[in-house]
Amino acid sequence: MEIGKNFFIPMPVVLIGTLCSGKPNFMTVGWCARANASPPMISCGIGNHHYTPKGIEETKTFSVNIPSSKLLRETDYCGIVSGKETDKSEVFDVFYGPLKTAPMIRECPVNLECRLMQTVPLPTNTLYIGEIVAAYADENVIRNGKPDFPDIDPLLLTMPDNRYWTLGNYAGDAWSAGKELIKQE
Amino acid sequence: MEIGKNFFIPMPVVLIGTLCSGKPNFMTVGWCARANASPPMISCGIGNHHYTPKGIEETKTFSVNIPSSKLLRETDYCGIVSGKETDKSEVFDVFYGPLKTAPMIRECPVNLECRLMQTVPLPTNTLYIGEIVAAYADENVIRNGKPDFPDIDPLLLTMPDNRYWTLGNYAGDAWSAGKELIKQE
């Protein structure tokens, strides 16, 4: 059956960190995905009416922070109130990397420090494409040398039902589970 | 601690449908996100060496299909074998909408029919930005008039551990759970 075309795939929830007029600001964003393999780049679709684009354009940097489900209230708060009217600089403990203008969130288990590479203007949103110049993780989420996603405990957002979800159960190995369908000649 | 900067946020797994030289082809993609609110647009980051870009460029259309976890083997298979060497047109039951050149997968609970609007070339990948011109859902995943994500049962992919996951538990309501942090004046 046909449904409304304003459909959203399940989206990882991230907090975008920027310096706006010198002050750290954080915005909850669901339209974020990897964009380029090498060098690693990430793309974030942000509504043009938001405050965060101002910070990205001022500093040409931003951060992508992955909150765990423990931070659900704070994460949702950063999506409800705008930095235009509300100072969100004290919501989290902030740290900086070598770019110096991409505020990152100590409470988030993973942080990506990004340099703006390209902006793609669209009718109501803009894609901000950043190169990941450094990545940080809480030591508690590292297993066998890699960040472990059940330990990161990220949030997913679905729309238009507007609900947050945790990551579920392990379902299979990628580039592996489908091998048995490969026809042998 | 600093980690490898080639980090991936948890990604919804989709199957991109294209007609390549007149034959349906499907490719598993994890770098997909909404790009524009109105009109609804979706962006897909695809490696330049793949076969799918050929089909997108030929027809200026593509589909985004959301597989349920039941389709894990077929989904992974479409990410392992390339349409360059392997005919994937018989893996799924295919249907078309008004665009006529965006093959969609009957077995997937949600299908988005897209018209290519913009391509953004990046070093190793290209972002294909499409307008969603129609969306379809299996009637069995509709609850209260909306597609229900636990019924859709989508897959998430994490990297660099290369694992698939199901959607987990309900964690809270968006634009609501953080309201209690708004300071009353």
Side-chain angles (χ1 to χ4, degrees), chain A residues 27-170:
Chain A
M27 176 194 179
T28 316
V29 169
W31 298 5
C32 209
R34 275 292 297 268
N36 193 63
S38 177
M41 294 185 192
I42 196 161
S43 166
C44 305
I46 300 180
N48 295 329
H49 59 289
H50 283 291
Y51 189 59
T52 286
K54 179 173 138 61
I56 299 178
E57 279 151 23
E58 274 175 21
T59 67
K60 310 290 183 203
T61 64
F62 61 93
S63 72
V64 176
N65 304 272
I66 303 187
S68 71
S69 75
K70 284 193 297 287
L71 293 172
L72 186 137
R73 281 193 330 158
E74 291 79 0
T75 299
D76 192 58
Y77 171 76
C78 289
I80 292 177
V81 301
S82 170
K84 279 180 204 159
E85 294 97 25
T86 305
D87 178 356
K88 293 185 260 185
S89 66
E90 306 285 316
V91 178
F92 302 107
D93 187 15
V94 174
F95 73 100
Y96 293 87
L99 292 181
K100 295 186 194 303
T101 53
M104 289 177 280
I105 299 175
R106 188 86 60 188
E107 292 89 334
C108 286
V110 177
N111 319 93
L112 309 177
E113 190 178 9
C114 302
R115 179 189 289 122
L116 182 67
M117 300 305 285
Q118 201 165 334
T119 59
V120 182
L122 296 172
T124 57
N125 292 60
T126 297
L127 295 187
Y128 293 93
I129 302 171
E131 180 177 342
I132 303 171
V133 299
Y136 308 88
D138 184 330
E139 287 175 27
N140 296 318
V141 303
I142 303 292
R143 275 178 197 253
N144 306 318
K146 287 181 199 167
D148 186 70
F149 284 89
D151 285 337
I152 294 172
D153 187 18
L155 288 166
L156 287 305
L157 171 65
T158 57
M159 292 172 70
D161 55 337
N162 300 345
R163 288 186 283 180
Y164 294 115
W165 307 85
T166 59
L167 193 66
N169 295 322
Y170 164 78

Side-chain angles (χ1 to χ4, degrees), chain B residues 38-137:
Chain B
S38 178
M41 293 186 193
I42 197 161
S43 166
C44 305
I46 300 180
N48 295 329
H49 60 290
H50 283 292
Y51 189 59
T52 286
K54 178 173 139 61
I56 299 178
E57 280 151 24
E58 273 175 20
T59 66
K60 311 291 182 201
T61 64
F62 61 93
S63 72
V64 176
N65 305 273
I66 303 187
S68 71
S69 74
K70 282 193 297 288
L71 294 172
L72 186 138
R73 280 194 329 158
E74 291 79 0
T75 299
D76 192 58
Y77 172 75
C78 289
I80 292 177
V81 300
S82 169
K84 277 179 208 162
E85 294 96 27
T86 306
D87 178 357
K88 293 184 259 185
S89 66
E90 306 284 318
V91 178
F92 302 106
D93 188 16
V94 174
F95 74 100
Y96 293 87
L99 292 181
K100 296 185 192 303
T101 53
M104 289 177 280
I105 299 174
R106 187 87 61 191
E107 292 89 336
C108 286
V110 177
N111 320 93
L112 309 177
E113 190 178 7
C114 302
R115 180 188 290 122
L116 182 67
M117 300 305 285
Q118 202 166 332
T119 59
V120 182
L122 296 172
T124 56
N125 292 61
T126 297
L127 295 187
Y128 293 91
I129 302 173
E131 180 178 343
I132 303 171
V133 300
Y136 308 87

Side-chain angles (χ1 to χ4, degrees), chain A residues 1 3 6-7 10 12 34 36-37 73 76 124-125 135 137 148 162-166 168-169 171-172 174-178 180, chain B residues 1 3 6-7 10 12 34 36-37 73 76 124-125 135 137 148 162-166 168-169 171-172 174-178 180:
Chain A
M1 62 181 278
I3 57 171
N6 192 24
F7 186 84
R34 275 292 297 268
N36 193 63
R73 281 193 330 158
D76 192 58
T124 57
N125 292 60
D148 186 70
N162 300 345
R163 288 186 283 180
Y164 294 115
W165 307 85
T166 59
N169 295 322
W175 294 280
S176 169
E180 55 189 288
Chain B
M1 62 182 279
I3 57 171
N6 192 25
F7 186 83
R34 275 293 296 267
N36 193 63
R73 280 194 329 158
D76 192 58
T124 56
N125 292 61
D148 185 70
N162 301 346
R163 287 185 284 181
Y164 294 116
W165 308 85
T166 59
N169 295 321
W175 294 279
S176 170
E180 55 188 287

